[in-house]
């Protein structure tokens, strides 16, 4: 009998590859997530950085003893509707396969983030975590997570924080 699928991490890549990689590192270190699959979703102008991001995710993952399958989805630039459809479809497919889905919005551009969150909300999908690496300053943060002072960064789970609203 096959074990039940575990976690999937969908991450949005915008202008900053460092933001994507550092948020992923923070989620592994601070939240204990160990994804079996990672999906990098980016827009056409940033697609050239997706292979760098995938390699960085592979390297960071190895440091935590995991080797998730990594895939890339490329969206047209600034297409709110297509971003929503793609992420809703990805998340829905993973959920139907039994995975627990986390979405990281740290590096995503606003149009992609809004499209993603509105689409999964309207679809009623059971997204377990929505991560965001909050930085108190953006000065000198284009470097590895462990080199950025802990006091200026905090990994947030918007789904956990939303529990305080009810």
């Amino acid at each position: 009998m096959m074990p039940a699928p575990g976690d999937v991490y969908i991450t949005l890549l915008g202008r900053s590859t460092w933001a994507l990689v550092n948020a992923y590192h923070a989620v592994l270190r601070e939240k204990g997530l160990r994804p079996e699959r990672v999906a990098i979703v980016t827009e056409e102008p940033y697609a050239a950085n997706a292979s760098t991001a995938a390699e960085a995710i592979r390297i960071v993952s190895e440091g935590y003893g995991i080797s998730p399958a990594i895939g890339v989805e490329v969206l047209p630039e600034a297409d709110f509707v297509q971003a929503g459809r793609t992420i809703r479809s990805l998340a829905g497919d993973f959920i139907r396969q039994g995975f627990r889905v986390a979405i990281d919005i740290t590096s995503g551009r606003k149009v992609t983030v809004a499209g993603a969150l509105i689409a999964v909300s309207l679809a009623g999908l059971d997204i377990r975590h929505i991560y965001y690496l909050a930085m108190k300053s953006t000065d000198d943060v284009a470097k590895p997570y462990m080199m950025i002072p802990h006091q200026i960064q905090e990994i947030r789970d918007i789904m956990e924080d939303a529990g305080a609203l009810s």
Side-chain angles (χ1 to χ4, degrees):
M1 186 165 125
M2 293 286 292
D7 294 310
V8 167
Y9 186 83
I10 299 172
T11 183
L12 309 180
L13 174 60
R15 291 182 181 94
S16 175
T17 305
W18 277 116
L20 180 147
V21 174
N22 287 338
Y24 180 71
H25 195 157
V27 165
L28 296 184
R29 184 167 194 262
E30 308 295 330
K31 300 295 187 178
L33 195 76
R34 298 294 182 267
E36 292 178 26
R37 310 261 309 263
V38 174
I40 299 169
V41 180
T42 190
E43 294 171 274
E44 283 170 356
Y46 310 103
N49 298 332
S51 60
T52 302
E55 180 63 11
I57 283 174
R58 188 189 62 71
I59 291 166
V60 170
S61 296
E62 279 180 4
Y64 288 86
I66 60 173
S67 58
I70 302 168
V72 175
E73 294 278 339
V74 179
L75 305 169
E77 184 175 17
D79 188 332
F80 172 87
V81 173
Q82 189 57 45
R85 280 186 187 135
T86 298
I87 293 159
R88 180 185 62 217
S89 176
L90 263 177
D93 288 349
F94 286 134
I95 290 167
R96 279 188 291 284
Q97 294 169 40
F99 287 99
R100 293 176 303 270
V101 174
I103 297 176
D104 173 46
I105 64 170
T106 304
S107 177
R109 291 184 355 125
K110 289 177 187 77
V111 69
T112 306
V113 170
L117 298 183
I118 290 169
V120 299
S121 176
L122 290 173
L125 295 178
D126 180 19
I127 303 300
R128 301 296 176 92
H129 307 282
I130 298 172
Y131 293 116
Y132 178 74
L133 183 60
M135 292 286 185
K136 292 190 175 114
S137 166
T138 56
D139 297 337
D140 196 30
V141 294
K143 57 187 173 190
Y145 171 71
M146 298 301 278
M147 295 176 68
I148 301 168
H150 188 73
Q151 59 271 23
I152 73 159
Q153 61 182 333
E154 180 183 10
I155 189 69
R156 304 296 303 261
D157 184 343
I158 294 170
M159 295 303 285
E160 283 178 10
D161 294 350
L165 296 173
S166 46

